[in-house]
Amino acid sequence: MNLFRLFGDLSHLASILILLHKIQTTRSCRGISFKTQALYVTVFVARYLDLFYDWVSLYNFSMKVFFISSSIYILYLMKVRFRPTHDPSIDTFRAEYLVGPCVVLALIFNYKFTFPEVLWSFSIFLESVAILPQLFMLQRTGEAETITTHYLAALGAYRALYIPNWIYRYFSEGVVDPIAVIAGLVQTALYVDFFYVYFTKVLQGQKFELPA
Amino acid sequence: TPREGHHDEL
């Protein structure tokens, strides 16, 4: 564990708490892509099956349990509790175009051709693109509530912090995880446009609005 | 590469 990874994970944790806070206080999931959230559940379930057979640490275990349970809870909030506030007509990104290629990539690129390893690879590839329906929705509507942009910023920061973590681990442990690194770089790159608007507008006190 | 079957990152 190093500080980059710790702060990355905390930022990931914070992003989920921000999202829960947004849904609970506004009593609405307006502006949140159900597809992205459903993809995250898929990612966590596929990746954290090792919860049952591989012990890393109490920290690792608790985080995995939190990520799986909170992401499922968010789906419940969106589909059941605050269902009327979710508008599927603007959440139109075709998630199957993401899942299909990720399955294929995972079958080709994995550390061992076993069920858990292929699932792990699949989850890494899927996570890297899972935010696309959300970003697509943002692009479509052209604006977002400030709290939603904080959620995305925390999520993006988590990804960005994993990069110095890998550099650190390369020098301190000689460990490189090429699948995680390449997918992670792609994932972080997807946030570049968002961060540009976030830094130049939201953090200056303006509303998140994309130029028409 | 990481030890197979053991992924310590979240």
Side-chain angles (χ1 to χ4, degrees), chain A residues 47-48 54 60 117 166 169, chain B residues 4-10:
Chain A
R47 189 177 312 163
Y48 297 157
D54 189 33
N60 190 279
E117 282 298 302
W166 292 320
R169 293 193 79 177
Chain B
E4 162 209 320
H6 182 84
H7 302 287
D8 67 350
E9 291 184 346
L10 295 159

Side-chain angles (χ1 to χ4, degrees), chain A:
Chain A
M1 177 58 73
N2 57 66
L3 282 182
F4 299 115
R5 187 143 61 115
L6 179 65
F7 283 114
D9 290 344
L10 291 179
S11 182
H12 193 186
L13 201 67
S15 75
I16 292 170
L17 296 176
I18 293 169
L19 179 58
L20 283 170
H21 177 79
K22 175 249 172 326
I23 297 174
Q24 306 275 19
T25 53
T26 64
R27 303 184 56 76
S28 155
C29 42
R30 194 168 74 93
I32 304 299
S33 163
F34 179 81
K35 289 183 178 174
T36 282
Q37 298 306 320
L39 289 176
Y40 280 135
V41 172
T42 314
V43 165
F44 293 143
V45 170
R47 189 177 312 163
Y48 297 157
L49 284 178
D50 65 355
L51 209 55
F52 296 105
Y53 58 85
D54 189 33
W55 180 262
V56 178
S57 64
L58 181 62
Y59 169 86
N60 190 279
F61 178 86
S62 328
M63 291 293 246
K64 285 173 175 170
V65 170
F66 176 80
F67 289 136
I68 292 179
S69 48
S70 61
S71 62
I72 292 173
Y73 180 59
I74 286 166
L75 286 197
Y76 158 78
L77 290 177
M78 296 189 79
K79 266 289 159 195
V80 183
R81 188 94 172 76
F82 300 117
R83 189 189 180 93
T85 64
H86 172 247
D87 182 4
S89 68
I90 51 167
D91 192 9
T92 49
F93 195 95
R94 301 289 293 269
E96 55 270 38
Y97 292 162
L98 300 177
V99 177
C102 287
V103 171
V104 176
L105 280 176
L107 290 169
I108 303 170
F109 301 102
N110 51 67
Y111 293 128
K112 199 182 185 197
F113 198 70
T114 59
F115 188 64
E117 282 298 302
V118 171
L119 263 189
W120 179 85
S121 276
F122 166 71
S123 82
I124 293 287
F125 295 133
L126 189 62
E127 185 191 351
S128 71
V129 291
I131 198 63
L132 284 175
Q134 178 67 61
L135 293 177
F136 185 73
M137 197 167 151
L138 213 64
Q139 196 71 248
R140 248 188 93 132
T141 53
E143 51 160 42
E145 292 168 57
T146 302
I147 183 93
T148 305
T149 66
H150 292 328
Y151 159 65
L152 286 167
L155 207 53
Y158 142 63
R159 291 317 311 181
L161 283 161
Y162 259 61
I163 295 171
N165 153 59
W166 292 320
I167 297 170
Y168 181 90
R169 293 193 79 177
Y170 171 71
F171 288 109
S172 66
E173 302 165 46
V175 176
V176 180
D177 184 336
I179 292 177
V181 171
I182 292 167
L185 289 174
V186 170
Q187 187 174 358
T188 313
L190 297 182
Y191 285 89
V192 169
D193 273 358
F194 165 80
F195 267 117
Y196 177 75
V197 183
Y198 185 74
F199 281 123
T200 56
K201 287 202 165 171
V202 181
L203 291 186
Q204 315 294 325
Q206 299 172 41
K207 192 173 158 45
F208 185 96
E209 263 175 333
L210 297 174

